[in-house]
């Protein structure tokens, strides 16, 4: 009589093989077949009997993708008889056995398929799930890497990676594969439609770990995930951005303080300079006489207008903002005002006018802690002439 531990293991294996069938369907949907019957499964029935090998595979996969895995048994058996050395034949037979509840028969079929070279999606997924059920995370990680390498764009990759992202050991396994140059890394970094934000957070943690191992995918590759994550987990999004984007500042620091990268960055994330624009405002980044860049602006508005902004991860407290400022026209107080707020609206931001001392502007700001990454906003006050600013810094007081 089987003990409780054996029964628990049997339940885990049965659960795993059920997921394997689903994973196979997701992977198969992304595979490209080189036969006409694959593009037109209905044509399979018209193929002459001696040439029905590919037709049998096509019919089987069409049923599988239609959610009728239990009906592919006879087709898979016929395919095995015709093509005993074909890995997809044994894999389809294993999938059929899973659908029929025959765990032993499925294991035998998938074992035979694995011996033929690990070229079948169902076989890879099956043994990944078996490894997870047995608690063998290293072996499961090896199988995941093989699946992702062969089918980097497959929808099921997202489903399978979730089995690792909730465990620190699993996160590190994926991070190590990315750091070793995995061809699926950029696809892995793209958020999926409808992906839960907790899943996105687990994936971000993997990519941060990969950066720590020396693998930086770059600003363009990581920007979509940063933008998605910033909506609810700004601190984690900022950490991901600074870890994977070489030009990004560390969390808590002003990014691109002298507008050297603004043209290249193009405001890809909330942690870059954003320019909200205003009909009364003229603003652009130009080269200064000393070879650096400055933000130059003028305004015809009668009130303060927003000039530029970026989100910065900050702890609650008081901060001093400083900047270098040059202005045309008669001497006057600073035309730059500044604010730290969770929302951009002026009534909520309550911008404070800065003062100029020796060519440097100064404004003392407070962050109450209502959000992880408040908006640092610079505003331009009314007045004649142009203002040029750069060398922006924010320090805790």
């Amino acid at each position: 009589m089987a003990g409780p531990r054996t029964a628990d293991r049997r339940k885990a294996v049965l659960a795993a093989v059920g997921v394997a069938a689903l994973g196979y369907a997701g992977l198969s949907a992304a595979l490209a077949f080189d036969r006409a019957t694959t593009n037109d499964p209905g044509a399979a029935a018209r193929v002459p009997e001696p040439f029905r090998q590919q037709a049998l595979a096509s019919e089987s996969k069409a049923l599988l993708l239609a959610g009728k895995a239990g009906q592919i048994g006879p087709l898979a058996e016929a395919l095995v008889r015709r093509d005993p050395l074909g890995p997809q034949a044994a894999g389809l037979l294993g999938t059929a056995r899973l659908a029929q509840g025959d765990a032993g028969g499925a294991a035998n079929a998938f074992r035979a398929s694995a011996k033929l070279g690990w070229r079948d999606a169902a076989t890879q997924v099956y043994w990944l799930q078996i490894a997870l059920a047995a608690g063998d995370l290293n072996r499961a990680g090896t199988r995941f890497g093989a699946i992702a390498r062969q089918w980097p764009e497959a929808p099921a990759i997202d489903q399978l990676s979730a089995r690792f992202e909730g465990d620190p050991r699993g996160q590190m396994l994926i991070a190590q594969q990315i750091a070793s140059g995995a061809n699926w890394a950029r696809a892995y970094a793209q958020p999926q439609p409808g992906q839960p934000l907790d899943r996105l957070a687990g994936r971000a943690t993997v990519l941060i770990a990969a950066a720590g191992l020396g693998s930086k995918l770059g600003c363009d590759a990581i920007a979509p995930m940063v933008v998605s994550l910033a909506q609810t987990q700004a601190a984690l999004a900022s950490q991901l951005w600074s870890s994977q984007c070489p030009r990004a500042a560390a969390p808590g620091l002003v990014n691109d303080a002298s507008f050297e990268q603004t043209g290249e960055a193009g405001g890809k994330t909330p942690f870059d300079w954003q320019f909200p624009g205003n009909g009364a405002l003229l603003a652009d980044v130009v080269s200064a006489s000393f070879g650096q860049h400055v933000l130059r602006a003028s305004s015809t508005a009668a009130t303060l207008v927003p000039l530029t902004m970026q989100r910065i991860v900050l702890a609650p407290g008081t901060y001093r903002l400083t900047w270098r400022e040059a202005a045309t026209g008669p001497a006057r107080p600073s035309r730059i005002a500044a604010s730290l707020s969770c929302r951009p609206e002026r009534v909520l931001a309550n911008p404070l006018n800065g003062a100029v001392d020796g060519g440097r502007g100064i404004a003392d700001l407070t962050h109450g802690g209502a959000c992880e990454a408040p908006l640092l906003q610079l505003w331009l006050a009314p007045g004649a002439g142009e203002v040029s600013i750069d060398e922006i810094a924010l320090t805790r007081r």
Side-chain angles (χ1 to χ4, degrees), residues 25 38 47 64 73 79 105 112 119 129 134 141 200 217 221 270 292 315-316 323 329 344-345 350 355 365 389:
T38 303
V47 177
L64 183 61
L79 185 60
R119 299 190 303 276
Q129 299 291 350
L200 204 61
L217 301 181
Q292 295 179 316
W323 62 92
E345 294 84 355
N350 190 27
L365 308 172
I389 60 172

Side-chain angles (χ1 to χ4, degrees), residues 147-168:
I147 293 167
R149 186 167 56 252
Q150 290 178 270
W151 301 283
E153 305 291 342
I157 299 301
D158 180 61
Q159 175 190 355
L160 295 174
S161 67
R163 304 297 300 273
F164 299 88
E165 291 159 356
D167 184 313

Side-chain angles (χ1 to χ4, degrees), residues 84-104:
L85 299 181
Q88 70 171 351
L92 284 167
L93 181 60
T95 303
R97 295 290 181 260
L98 288 180
Q100 295 164 355
D102 182 2

Side-chain angles (χ1 to χ4, degrees), residues 363-375:
D364 290 329
L365 308 172
T366 300
H367 172 44
C371 54
E372 290 184 317
L375 274 169

Side-chain angles (χ1 to χ4, degrees), residues 16 36 49 88 126 142 221 260 286 303 312 334:
E49 181 63 26
Q88 70 171 351
Y126 173 85
T142 299
E260 298 299 319
V286 299
T303 60
I312 305 179
S334 175

Side-chain angles (χ1 to χ4, degrees), residues 193-214:
Q195 190 174 45
L197 289 175
D198 59 338
R199 288 285 319 283
L200 204 61
R203 187 160 295 196
T205 302
V206 169
L207 291 167
I208 291 168
L213 297 174

Side-chain angles (χ1 to χ4, degrees), residues 24 77 101 110-111 137 146 199 243 292 297 317 323 376:
Y24 178 79
E77 291 172 358
F110 284 126
R111 191 174 292 112
L137 202 59
R199 288 285 319 283
S243 70
Q292 295 179 316
W323 62 92
L376 169 64

Side-chain angles (χ1 to χ4, degrees), residues 102-126:
D102 182 2
N108 289 335
F110 284 126
R111 191 174 292 112
S113 179
K115 291 179 180 179
L116 295 172
W118 295 103
R119 299 190 303 276
D120 175 67
T123 302
Q124 294 276 20
V125 175
Y126 173 85

